[in-house]
Amino acid sequence: MAARLPDNGAQSRIDFSTTDASVAIDYYQDVYRTHMSFSGIRDGVAYTHSRLGVELFAIDELQLPLNMDVTLDPFKSLIVINLQAGQYGRECAGTDECFVGGDVFIIADPHLPANLRLLDTKMQTTMLDLSVLAQVATTSPTRAPGPVRFTGFQPISHRLANWRRTTKYVHELLVNTEATAQPLIRGAAARMLAAAALTTFPNTAVIAPAAQDRRDATSATVRRAIAFIEQHPDIDLSVADMAAAANVSIRAVQMAFRRHLDTTPMHYLRDIRLDHVHQELLSTDPASGATVTSIATTWGFYNHSRFTASYRRAYGRTQFHLP
């Protein structure tokens, strides 16, 4: 079973604390939807857990203040740990690794069981539904079709800073209930996390385009993708959706937009959505109660300063007024 994420688009906030070991065990197995076997756990110490999340991703704060062993069934979600304090040992797929406060790592292969050794640990965990990886990654044409797999659990050192920036941004987003209520913003944030994970940790995704991708990067591919975008600007679209509509690979549609329009598919989509914001600002009745922020957020623009800069570049305005 997969680790538990909210079942719908609503933001989920959880705060849990107990000193009862049996209550803690039941709670952790329920919230992560996987079997855990504990040893070394006892009553009388504080077990805490908090979560901010939506249906595709969540960020947890977790404290396990004992020396304990934990056996995990497969999570089938990507979980990245930022170990803030304590010591953490993990054995998975024949690899035994140890971590200390300040380390960042994938908890285990999402499809395999793991054995953990914890000593007074305090951690932040970022959990992402595996389906999102397929929206931003291309697998090798020499491999059998299947999901992207991580080939290493520790980060590529020079790319770790980007992961930290991304998780900080996503955490700030999750605090904003107005923003997380918007499907376009939730979907973009999930794909941002997936892209950061794929660039931070070794995996089987392919960066370079194949020969077929180059052949498919045609103006016809761009036209088909644009037609799809313009028909569905108000739904949560990924590059994978555009590629499927154009009947080409993700890399091919990315190459086609760069070659023929000198932009990316997602930048083109943002420009289309920005135009919808502009049209709504021109036509919305001020008595409706709508605001510039609410209209922009509905169309996926969460960061006000970035939205203002984009709008100024496109329409030469620095002030917004509803008619």
Side-chain angles (χ1 to χ4, degrees):
M1 300 178 67
R4 172 173 290 178
L5 289 165
D7 295 327
N8 52 47
Q11 184 212 60
S12 172
R13 184 176 190 119
I14 299 173
D15 289 292
F16 169 83
S17 179
T18 187
T19 58
D20 186 316
S22 62
V23 171
I25 291 172
D26 289 344
Y27 170 80
Y28 291 133
Q29 292 190 129
D30 178 61
V31 78
Y32 287 108
R33 286 188 177 177
T34 191
H35 176 70
M36 301 180 179
S37 298
F38 291 83
S39 62
I41 192 169
R42 60 176 173 79
D43 294 339
V45 295
Y47 303 94
T48 65
H49 173 266
S50 64
R51 169 174 294 175
L52 285 171
V54 292
E55 73 273 23
L56 293 175
F57 59 91
I59 294 181
D60 293 3
E61 303 286 343
L62 181 66
Q63 185 167 336
L64 295 170
L66 289 174
N67 185 356
M68 65 178 68
D69 295 327
V70 183
T71 301
L72 299 179
D73 282 352
F75 270 103
K76 298 185 180 178
S77 293
L78 177 67
I79 300 181
V80 178
I81 292 179
N82 176 5
L83 188 62
Q84 297 165 332
Q87 299 178 29
Y88 188 110
R90 186 267 324 285
E91 189 279 323
C92 180
T95 301
D96 200 334
E97 297 175 296
C98 295
F99 306 94
V100 296
D103 287 341
V104 175
F105 52 94
I106 295 175
I107 187 173
D109 186 311
H111 303 91
L112 298 175
N115 296 309
L116 312 180
R117 302 179 302 280
L118 312 180
L119 176 59
D120 290 333
T121 52
K122 180 181 179 182
M123 66 191 82
Q124 181 187 78
T125 68
T126 302
M127 183 162 58
L128 177 68
D129 191 288
L130 292 179
S131 66
V132 188
L133 296 174
Q135 298 180 18
V136 297
T138 300
T139 55
S140 168
T142 62
R143 298 174 61 248
V148 174
R149 302 296 291 263
F150 287 91
T151 56
F153 301 147
Q154 297 192 49
I156 301 167
S157 59
H158 67 279
R159 295 175 180 171
L160 180 56
N162 179 58
W163 174 258
R164 293 188 186 277
R165 286 193 299 269
T166 302
T167 53
K168 180 181 179 181
Y169 169 82
V170 170
H171 187 270
E172 292 171 353
L173 172 64
L174 286 169
V175 173
N176 187 326
T177 55
E178 182 180 2
T180 54
Q182 301 301 327
L184 302 186
I185 293 177
R186 295 197 306 271
R191 288 187 290 276
M192 182 185 297
L193 270 178
L198 290 169
T199 57
T200 302
F201 299 94
N203 60 80
T204 58
V206 174
I207 303 301
Q212 186 62 49
D213 298 330
R214 295 185 178 90
R215 288 192 291 271
D216 287 340
T218 63
S219 58
T221 289
V222 173
R223 289 195 299 272
R224 291 194 296 269
I226 287 176
F228 179 73
I229 291 169
E230 292 180 344
Q231 289 170 6
H232 307 286
D234 57 338
I235 66 173
D236 180 30
L237 296 181
S238 68
V239 180
D241 297 322
M242 302 174 200
N247 196 31
V248 297
S249 71
I250 291 175
R251 292 290 174 260
V253 79
Q254 290 171 329
M255 285 189 67
F257 271 76
R258 181 62 69 189
R259 178 182 293 173
H260 298 284
L261 299 180
D262 194 27
T263 189
T264 69
M266 296 308 294
H267 273 107
Y268 188 91
L269 174 59
R270 281 194 289 271
D271 287 345
I272 293 295
R273 289 173 175 167
L274 187 64
D275 185 62
H276 280 274
V277 174
H278 178 61
Q279 297 304 322
E280 286 197 33
L281 290 176
L282 295 177
S283 62
T284 296
D285 182 352
S288 67
T291 65
V292 173
T293 298
S294 66
I295 292 172
T297 301
T298 298
W299 284 101
F301 297 94
Y302 157 64
N303 186 294
H304 181 73
S305 61
R306 292 179 183 174
F307 166 72
T308 301
S310 297
Y311 193 89
R312 182 171 58 246
R313 284 194 299 270
Y315 302 103
R317 301 185 183 187
T318 57
Q319 299 292 325
F320 308 104
H321 297 285
L322 293 176

